[in-house]
Amino acid sequence: MGDTHIHTSFSTDAFIMGVRTLPDDAYTFAKGGEIQHAAGYGIRIKTPLDFAAVTDHSEFLGAMRRLKPDVPLSARSLRTRLLNDSPLRNTLALVRTFIGFKPGDLDVPNADGIAHDAWQEIIDAAERHNDPGRFTSFIGYEWSGTPDNRNLHRNVLYRSSKVPDIPYSSVESKDPRDLWTALEQQREQGMQNFAIPHNGNLSDGRMYDSVAFDGTRFDASYAERRMRNEPLTEMFQIKGSSETNPLLSPEDEFAGFEIYDKKLFTLEPGKAKGSYIRDALRLGIEFSHNEGFNPYRFGVLAGTDSHNASSPVDENNYHGKLPLLDGSAGIRLSKSILIPEERRMGQQWSAQGLSAVWAENNTRASLFDAMLRKETYATSGPRISVRFFGGWQFSEADIQQEDFIDIGYRNGVPMGGTLPASTATAPSFAVVALKDPESGNLDRVQIIKGWVDGSGKSHERIYDVALSDSRKVDPTTNKAPAVGNTVNAKDATYSNSIGATQLAVVWKDPDFDPKSEAFYYARVIEIPTPRWSTFDAIKLGVDAPEPVSIQERAVTSAIWYDPQNEGVATK
């Protein structure tokens, strides 16, 4: 597992918020080493990562570190301020940072030269830490187009060290199609790459819209370009989850997980429609049914978006995203900085997420190729292991075999694949999930299905296909009883006396219509465990804010069924 979304002090917002760490620090942290947080304490991940990517913002890349602008944390460090200043004075420092600094107003002499130098340092760090077979460091960056505070950000990853002289920036264009053009031109020169959209939840309906950036209608060429340039999208990260929203999925009792649905840089609520992944998958099959093309046939992964050169996914050791906003328990719970409850962004953010990739080897090429074929899944942080195959002849006996993985590939397609049409009555799906040894037991496995009816309208349904503790789905409500909750908020503990260490099932779609295009993905949910804010409350000796506990999870890339697909299954 790994983190494909990490920032360092080369990113403008990271530097002005107190970060001074560099790409080497990010890889040191990812491999299990200790680095220094901007607030002055050491941070270390509980379980080292298998791969990571430093993805600093391409806009003004490296400029703040070079120019050292006049912001509060340039004069005195965050640690010094937290140890010596009053909450009021710290609040004024935060206000001055926000109000007194606008990157767009900067006159950066030799901006391209500064960006080139920072980019070269990012490349050099990735090359130093790349250790094929043991640890993979991808070269990448973030393109941060934000029209009218609507997040359209994308991370760009490269398959090798063959990369451009300087990253493409939204200073040149805020239209994602122009980014695609730049990436296409690079691929023509042998620079294999793709982009990963993230935080659709902050896009106010623009990330997964039904029209292009300029309002023009989609066509088959647009759909092909989008899927060629963006085979994956990010589901979990610090600034919230992008799977779905209760407004879009009212029948999904787990849809409200770590929702943060504001426009970027504001506290205004954004539109749900067009901002979430499941809705995009549904829109995609509607387009396929009605227009003959699908612009949203993507897989999923996750990344933290930490700006501390770290991956803060451990709830009991969370250290935030941007130091001046959420770099200590006192800041996050508004004891060191005075922020009204409704404006506490840091308290609403999350300790998530990580990407899982089923690749043959832990190398850049193997991982990159597996991402291209969408054999990936996202977790909110825990190292839950999930295998998900779709086919026409799986049986319960298959998941009990030692060579289950071989059977899955031989008789079906993995996550990210497409089932061919068949004369069988319905597809079957095999799911095997193992808990993270360091986290909560498993509550359940669900399969989420989306399909289109004869009129071209999409629908969704959640099936509880495997439940722990001998629970059964109520046939009258189609709901399963809750697994229970052992979390003690007073000491931030829980017990694995409920749930299961492993869940495995073969499920056959009972509502299958061979004429209807559909997608299926698996969601594995843990029992309740303490949220990071509960651990913070104990440190501060205060009552824990709600929610006290959360149910961490893993969500796979979808498997598609296309009644027009008469050929060999795609894998």
Side-chain angles (χ1 to χ4, degrees), residues 51-337:
F51 60 90
V54 170
T55 54
D56 279 310
H57 296 291
S58 56
E59 297 76 19
F60 305 105
L61 180 65
M64 299 306 101
R65 187 174 177 89
R66 179 76 64 87
L67 299 178
K68 296 180 173 54
D70 181 22
V71 293
L73 294 189
S74 293
R76 297 170 66 237
S77 72
L78 179 59
R79 176 177 175 81
T80 298
R81 291 176 181 277
L82 291 175
L83 289 175
N84 298 288
D85 293 356
S86 67
L88 177 59
R89 190 171 180 185
N90 288 331
T91 305
L92 292 174
L94 176 63
V95 170
R96 184 184 161 208
T97 299
F98 269 117
I99 294 178
F101 183 80
K102 293 182 174 58
D105 296 337
L106 284 176
D107 179 18
V108 181
N110 191 28
D112 285 352
I114 294 172
H116 177 273
D117 292 346
W119 180 233
Q120 190 60 54
E121 189 162 342
I122 291 169
I123 295 169
D124 291 345
E127 294 294 277
R128 281 192 293 272
H129 290 272
N130 194 49
D131 187 4
R134 301 184 64 186
F135 179 80
T136 295
S137 51
F138 285 103
I139 299 170
Y141 67 90
E142 178 174 336
W143 174 90
S144 308
T146 317
D148 301 320
N149 292 324
R150 291 164 172 85
N151 181 89
L152 296 180
H153 298 192
R154 271 89 167 155
N155 290 333
V156 174
L157 296 186
Y158 291 88
R159 189 176 188 267
S160 71
S161 58
K162 192 167 185 178
V163 299
D165 291 335
I166 191 171
Y168 187 78
S169 163
S170 66
V171 174
E172 298 174 74
S173 172
K174 293 181 173 61
D175 188 335
R177 293 171 299 180
D178 292 328
L179 170 65
W180 302 345
T181 298
L183 297 182
E184 289 161 356
Q185 292 170 348
Q186 291 169 17
R187 289 198 295 272
E188 290 174 357
Q189 301 172 51
M191 304 174 198
Q192 296 304 304
N193 58 52
F194 58 75
I196 307 166
H198 68 84
N199 281 122
N201 58 308
L202 307 181
S203 71
D204 192 33
R206 294 294 302 277
M207 185 68 82
Y208 311 113
D209 207 343
S210 59
V211 294
F213 180 82
D214 59 0
T216 56
R217 289 172 55 86
F218 288 167
D219 57 20
S221 175
Y222 175 94
E224 190 276 332
R225 284 192 77 198
R226 183 156 187 160
M227 290 302 88
R228 177 159 33 92
N229 285 288
E230 299 181 357
L232 299 168
T233 198
E234 187 179 280
M235 180 173 284
F236 299 124
Q237 70 131 273
I238 288 174
K239 297 195 302 298
S241 299
S242 295
E243 182 197 1
T244 191
N245 184 296
L247 295 174
L248 300 170
S249 302
E251 300 301 313
D252 184 352
E253 60 190 302
F254 294 98
F257 178 70
E258 296 295 294
I259 296 296
Y260 185 73
D261 55 0
K262 311 294 192 292
K263 296 179 187 177
L264 197 62
F265 309 133
T266 78
L267 295 171
E268 300 175 41
K271 291 186 294 188
K273 186 70 175 172
S275 298
Y276 290 87
I277 289 168
R278 190 189 301 170
D279 182 59
L281 295 176
R282 287 180 55 177
L283 180 60
I285 58 174
E286 289 180 355
F287 267 107
S288 182
H289 179 94
N290 298 319
E291 305 287 346
F293 56 80
N294 185 345
Y296 295 125
R297 204 180 183 103
F298 50 63
V300 299
L301 38 61
T304 62
D305 194 16
S306 165
H307 283 50
N308 290 300
S310 63
S311 301
V313 295
D314 300 329
E315 302 285 339
N316 63 352
N317 190 30
Y318 182 60
H319 50 266
K321 170 186 170 74
L322 285 161
L324 188 55
L325 272 180
D326 65 349
S328 73
I331 295 175
R332 289 188 290 271
L333 297 190
S334 291
K335 302 302 178 184
S336 301
I337 290 182

Side-chain angles (χ1 to χ4, degrees), residues 270-502:
K271 291 186 294 188
K273 186 70 175 172
S275 298
Y276 290 87
I277 289 168
R278 190 189 301 170
D279 182 59
L281 295 176
R282 287 180 55 177
L283 180 60
I285 58 174
E286 289 180 355
F287 267 107
S288 182
H289 179 94
N290 298 319
E291 305 287 346
F293 56 80
N294 185 345
Y296 295 125
R297 204 180 183 103
F298 50 63
V300 299
L301 38 61
T304 62
D305 194 16
S306 165
H307 283 50
N308 290 300
S310 63
S311 301
V313 295
D314 300 329
E315 302 285 339
N316 63 352
N317 190 30
Y318 182 60
H319 50 266
K321 170 186 170 74
L322 285 161
L324 188 55
L325 272 180
D326 65 349
S328 73
I331 295 175
R332 289 188 290 271
L333 297 190
S334 291
K335 302 302 178 184
S336 301
I337 290 182
L338 307 176
I339 304 174
E341 184 172 359
E342 68 276 5
R343 303 186 70 85
R344 297 174 190 171
M345 288 186 289
Q347 188 171 315
Q348 300 173 59
W349 290 347
S350 311
Q352 55 180 26
L354 293 177
S355 295
V357 181
W358 289 116
E360 294 83 356
N361 304 291
N362 188 4
T363 63
R364 283 178 181 165
S366 187
L367 287 165
F368 186 95
D369 293 347
M371 291 179 188
L372 276 182
R373 65 178 183 261
K374 300 184 281 291
E375 202 170 346
T376 60
Y377 63 95
T379 92
S380 58
R383 274 69 163 181
I384 302 169
S385 176
V386 189
R387 284 286 190 175
F388 180 49
F389 293 95
W392 298 100
Q393 53 183 334
F394 289 126
S395 68
E396 285 288 341
D398 290 334
I399 58 176
Q400 306 302 325
Q401 304 304 311
E402 289 185 2
D403 62 345
F404 160 66
I405 304 301
D406 292 335
I407 292 171
Y409 285 110
R410 187 168 60 247
N411 296 337
V413 297
M415 58 186 76
T418 302
L419 289 167
S422 172
T423 57
T425 56
S428 53
F429 297 87
V431 190
V432 176
L434 302 174
K435 65 158 290 189
D436 178 345
E438 301 295 327
S439 190
N441 279 346
L442 304 181
D443 167 7
R444 67 187 72 196
V445 173
Q446 299 177 311
I447 289 182
I448 288 83
K449 176 186 177 182
W451 75 98
V452 288
D453 61 25
S455 69
K457 181 180 179 181
S458 68
H459 306 269
E460 66 179 60
R461 184 170 176 182
I462 296 91
Y463 297 86
D464 289 305
V465 299
L467 298 167
S468 63
D469 302 334
S470 301
R471 290 172 294 148
K472 302 292 183 183
V473 174
D474 184 335
T476 61
T477 64
N478 289 318
K479 299 289 186 183
V483 69
N485 191 334
T486 66
V487 170
N488 183 340
K490 298 299 183 184
D491 57 8
T493 59
Y494 69 97
S495 169
N496 271 327
S497 57
I498 58 175
T501 59
Q502 174 177 332

